Protein backbone atom coordinates (compact mmCIF):
# COMPACT_ATOMS: atom_id res chain seq x y z
CA UNK A 1 0.00 0.00 0.00
CA UNK A 2 1.30 3.43 -0.90
CA UNK A 3 1.87 5.52 2.21
CA UNK A 4 2.42 9.27 2.01
CA UNK A 5 3.79 11.45 4.80
CA UNK A 6 2.56 14.96 5.65
CA UNK A 7 4.96 16.97 7.79
CA UNK A 8 3.23 19.90 9.47
CA UNK A 9 5.60 22.86 9.71
CA UNK A 10 3.30 25.85 9.20
CA UNK A 11 2.90 27.14 12.75
CA UNK A 12 4.29 30.43 13.98
CA UNK A 13 5.89 28.99 17.18
CA UNK A 14 3.98 31.62 19.17
CA UNK A 15 5.34 30.52 22.54
CA UNK A 16 8.92 30.45 21.27
CA UNK A 17 8.91 33.66 19.25
CA UNK A 18 11.07 32.29 16.41
CA UNK A 19 10.69 29.42 13.93
CA UNK A 20 11.18 26.22 15.89
CA UNK A 21 11.43 24.35 12.59
CA UNK A 22 14.94 25.84 12.24
CA UNK A 23 16.19 25.17 15.78
CA UNK A 24 19.18 22.85 15.65
CA UNK A 25 19.72 19.61 17.52
CA UNK A 26 22.89 17.55 17.03
CA UNK A 27 23.87 19.82 14.16
CA UNK A 28 20.62 19.45 12.21
CA UNK A 29 17.43 21.52 12.17
CA UNK A 30 14.32 19.99 13.69
CA UNK A 31 12.64 20.11 10.30
CA UNK A 32 15.57 18.30 8.66
CA UNK A 33 15.43 15.58 11.32
CA UNK A 34 11.85 14.69 10.40
CA UNK A 35 12.33 15.12 6.63
CA UNK A 36 15.35 12.80 6.68
CA UNK A 37 13.40 10.23 8.66
CA UNK A 38 10.56 10.47 6.13
CA UNK A 39 12.92 10.00 3.16
CA UNK A 40 14.67 7.05 4.84
CA UNK A 41 11.32 5.35 5.47
CA UNK A 42 10.82 4.95 1.72
CA UNK A 43 7.29 6.38 1.95
CA UNK A 44 6.01 8.49 -0.94
CA UNK A 45 4.82 11.14 -1.64
CA UNK A 46 6.35 13.37 1.03
CA UNK A 47 4.86 16.81 1.64
CA UNK A 48 6.07 19.52 4.01
CA UNK A 49 3.40 22.12 4.78
CA UNK A 50 4.87 25.57 5.44
CA UNK A 51 3.03 28.70 6.52
CA UNK A 52 4.50 31.22 8.95
CA UNK A 53 8.20 31.79 8.25
CA UNK A 54 7.83 30.01 4.90
CA UNK A 55 10.39 32.21 3.13
CA UNK A 56 12.99 31.80 5.91
CA UNK A 57 12.49 28.05 6.03
CA UNK A 58 12.46 27.65 2.22
CA UNK A 59 15.85 29.36 2.00
CA UNK A 60 17.37 26.74 4.30
CA UNK A 61 15.38 23.62 3.51
CA UNK A 62 15.24 22.25 0.01
CA UNK A 63 15.25 18.57 -0.76
CA UNK A 64 14.34 17.24 -4.22
CA UNK A 65 12.59 14.23 -2.62
CA UNK A 66 10.07 16.47 -0.90
CA UNK A 67 7.21 18.62 -2.11
CA UNK A 68 7.21 21.84 -0.07
CA UNK A 69 3.87 23.61 -0.16
CA UNK A 70 2.74 26.85 1.46
CA UNK A 71 -0.55 26.94 3.33
CA UNK A 72 -1.63 30.58 3.05
CA UNK A 73 -4.45 29.84 5.51
CA UNK A 74 -2.14 28.55 8.27
CA UNK A 75 -3.59 31.06 10.74
CA UNK A 76 -6.90 29.18 10.57
CA UNK A 77 -5.29 26.40 12.59
CA UNK A 78 -3.72 23.00 12.18
CA UNK A 79 -6.75 21.62 10.32
CA UNK A 80 -6.01 23.83 7.30
CA UNK A 81 -2.45 22.49 7.11
CA UNK A 82 -3.64 18.88 7.32
CA UNK A 83 -6.10 19.54 4.48
CA UNK A 84 -3.46 21.33 2.37
CA UNK A 85 -0.96 18.50 2.88
CA UNK A 86 -3.45 15.74 2.15
CA UNK A 87 -4.72 17.51 -0.98
CA UNK A 88 -1.13 17.84 -2.24
CA UNK A 89 -0.47 14.14 -1.61
CA UNK A 90 -3.65 13.05 -3.38
CA UNK A 91 -2.79 15.27 -6.35
CA UNK A 92 0.67 13.70 -6.55
CA UNK A 93 -0.46 10.09 -6.21
CA UNK A 94 -4.06 8.99 -6.81
CA UNK A 95 -3.14 5.51 -5.58
CA UNK A 96 -2.09 6.61 -2.09
CA UNK A 97 -3.83 4.32 0.40
CA UNK A 98 -2.81 5.92 3.68
CA UNK A 99 -0.97 8.90 5.09
CA UNK A 100 1.16 9.50 8.14
CA UNK A 101 0.78 12.90 9.77
CA UNK A 102 3.98 14.08 11.46
CA UNK A 103 5.09 17.32 13.10
CA UNK A 104 8.33 19.25 12.87
CA UNK A 105 9.21 19.51 16.54
CA UNK A 106 9.79 15.93 17.72
CA UNK A 107 13.60 15.71 17.78
CA UNK A 108 13.69 11.94 18.34
CA UNK A 109 11.59 10.97 15.35
CA UNK A 110 13.17 8.33 13.09
CA UNK A 111 12.30 6.30 10.02
CA UNK A 112 11.79 3.32 12.35
CA UNK A 113 8.81 5.06 13.94
CA UNK A 114 7.16 5.58 10.53
CA UNK A 115 7.86 1.96 9.56
CA UNK A 116 6.48 0.71 12.90
CA UNK A 117 3.20 2.54 12.22
CA UNK A 118 2.89 0.85 8.82
CA UNK A 119 3.80 -2.56 10.23
CA UNK A 120 1.25 -2.21 13.03
CA UNK A 121 -1.42 -1.29 10.47
CA UNK A 122 -0.59 -4.42 8.46
CA UNK A 123 -0.66 -6.62 11.56
CA UNK A 124 -3.90 -5.29 13.02
CA UNK A 125 -5.88 -4.14 9.98
CA UNK A 126 -6.86 -1.03 11.94
CA UNK A 127 -7.39 2.08 9.81
CA UNK A 128 -5.66 4.44 12.26
CA UNK A 129 -2.39 3.85 14.08
CA UNK A 130 -1.09 6.36 16.60
CA UNK A 131 2.08 6.85 18.57
CA UNK A 132 1.72 6.39 22.29
CA UNK A 133 3.74 8.29 24.91
CA UNK A 134 3.26 9.96 28.29
CA UNK A 135 -0.20 8.42 28.88
CA UNK A 136 -1.56 9.85 25.62
CA UNK A 137 -1.69 9.12 21.91
CA UNK A 138 -0.51 11.49 19.22
CA UNK A 139 1.77 12.08 16.27
CA UNK A 140 3.05 10.65 14.14
CA UNK A 141 -0.21 8.95 13.30
CA UNK A 142 -1.30 6.91 10.29
CA UNK A 143 -4.72 7.26 8.64
CA UNK A 144 -6.18 4.97 5.98
CA UNK A 145 -7.90 6.67 3.04
CA UNK A 146 -11.20 5.65 4.66
CA UNK A 147 -10.65 8.76 6.82
CA UNK A 148 -9.36 11.15 4.15
CA UNK A 149 -12.72 12.92 3.80
CA UNK A 150 -12.87 13.48 7.56
CA UNK A 151 -9.28 14.80 7.59
CA UNK A 152 -10.16 17.20 4.77
CA UNK A 153 -13.21 18.49 6.63
CA UNK A 154 -11.51 19.28 9.96
CA UNK A 155 -11.86 22.94 10.95
CA UNK A 156 -10.02 25.45 13.11
CA UNK A 157 -7.54 24.09 15.60
CA UNK A 158 -9.11 20.63 15.59
CA UNK A 159 -6.24 18.36 14.71
CA UNK A 160 -6.64 14.74 13.69
CA UNK A 161 -7.10 13.75 17.35
CA UNK A 162 -10.71 14.78 16.89
CA UNK A 163 -11.18 11.86 14.44
CA UNK A 164 -9.32 9.43 16.72
CA UNK A 165 -11.70 10.28 19.56
CA UNK A 166 -14.70 9.47 17.37
CA UNK A 167 -13.48 6.01 16.32
CA UNK A 168 -11.59 4.41 19.23
CA UNK A 169 -12.47 0.93 17.95
CA UNK A 170 -10.47 1.50 14.76
CA UNK A 171 -7.15 2.48 16.39
CA UNK A 172 -3.95 0.61 17.11
CA UNK A 173 -0.87 2.19 18.71
CA UNK A 174 2.89 1.83 18.76
CA UNK A 175 5.12 2.89 21.63
CA UNK A 176 7.21 5.97 20.86
CA UNK A 177 8.28 7.02 24.35
CA UNK A 178 10.55 9.85 23.13
CA UNK A 179 7.58 11.30 21.26
CA UNK A 180 6.62 13.11 24.45
CA UNK A 181 9.57 15.45 23.87
CA UNK A 182 8.50 18.29 21.64
CA UNK A 183 9.67 21.87 21.50
CA UNK A 184 7.14 24.59 22.30
CA UNK A 185 9.11 26.97 24.52
CA UNK A 186 12.67 28.17 25.09
CA UNK A 187 12.73 26.02 28.24
CA UNK A 188 11.83 22.90 26.22
CA UNK A 189 14.70 23.68 23.85
CA UNK A 190 17.19 24.35 26.67
CA UNK A 191 16.23 21.05 28.31
CA UNK A 192 16.75 19.22 25.03
CA UNK A 193 20.18 20.76 24.40
CA UNK A 194 21.40 20.16 27.94
CA UNK A 195 20.36 16.53 28.16
CA UNK A 196 22.00 15.41 24.92
Amino acid sequence: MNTGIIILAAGNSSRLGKPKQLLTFRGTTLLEIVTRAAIESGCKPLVVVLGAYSSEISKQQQDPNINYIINDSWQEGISSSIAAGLTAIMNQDQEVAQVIIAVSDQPFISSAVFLDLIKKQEETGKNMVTSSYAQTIGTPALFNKKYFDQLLSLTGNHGAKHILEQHPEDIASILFEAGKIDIDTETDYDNLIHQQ
Side-chain angles (χ1 to χ4, degrees):
M1 280 205 287
N2 293 12
T3 306
I5 298 181
I6 302 165
I7 297 166
L8 302 175
N12 67 344
S13 315
S14 54
R15 284 187 279 170
L16 191 67
K18 57 187 172 189
K20 61 182 173 185
Q21 301 89 329
L22 298 178
L23 292 175
T24 55
F25 178 56
R26 297 175 180 160
T28 308
T29 68
L30 293 183
L31 183 54
E32 269 176 324
I33 291 170
V34 65
T35 53
R36 277 185 195 171
I39 292 165
E40 285 167 12
S41 74
C43 293
K44 281 185 180 127
L46 307 177
V47 170
V48 170
V49 184
L50 301 174
Y53 308 116
S54 60
S55 56
E56 279 175 67
I57 295 169
S58 299
K59 277 186 203 127
Q60 289 196 37
Q61 307 278 313
Q62 284 302 329
D63 190 298
N65 299 293
I66 290 177
N67 180 14
Y68 296 85
I69 64 164
I70 294 173
N71 171 22
D72 292 320
S73 312
W74 64 269
Q75 283 155 304
E76 289 170 21
I78 195 167
S79 61
S80 67
S81 289
I82 291 172
L86 182 53
T87 302
I89 279 189
M90 287 159 53
N91 289 341
Q92 259 186 282
D93 179 7
Q94 271 83 44
E95 302 297 306
V96 74
Q98 52 196 18
V99 295
I100 293 171
I101 298 175
V103 291
S104 57
D105 67 343
Q106 286 178 312
F108 296 104
I109 189 70
S110 67
S111 58
V113 177
F114 294 140
L115 295 171
D116 283 351
L117 290 168
I118 295 167
K119 190 167 155 220
K120 180 64 85 170
Q121 192 288 319
E122 289 166 355
E123 287 169 3
T124 62
K126 298 288 188 190
N127 290 302
M128 295 185 284
V129 184
T130 64
S131 299
S132 141
Y133 39 81
Q135 281 79 58
T136 188
I137 54 172
T139 54
L142 178 149
F143 293 84
N144 180 278
K145 66 180 175 196
K146 173 182 176 182
Y147 291 104
F148 283 7
D149 285 345
Q150 287 183 52
L151 287 168
L152 290 168
S153 59
L154 289 167
T155 56
N157 246 331
H158 281 296
K161 205 168 227 185
H162 187 58
I163 300 170
L164 298 170
E165 286 162 357
Q166 291 173 313
H167 306 279
E169 75 298 333
D170 204 11
I171 299 173
S173 284
I174 62 158
L175 188 61
F176 173 33
E177 203 47 70
K180 67 177 182 239
I181 297 165
D182 62 4
I183 310 301
D184 289 321
T185 63
E186 198 67 60
T187 308
D188 294 341
Y189 185 49
D190 287 344
N191 290 343
L192 175 69
I193 298 304
H194 289 122
Q195 64 158 32
Q196 60 175 325

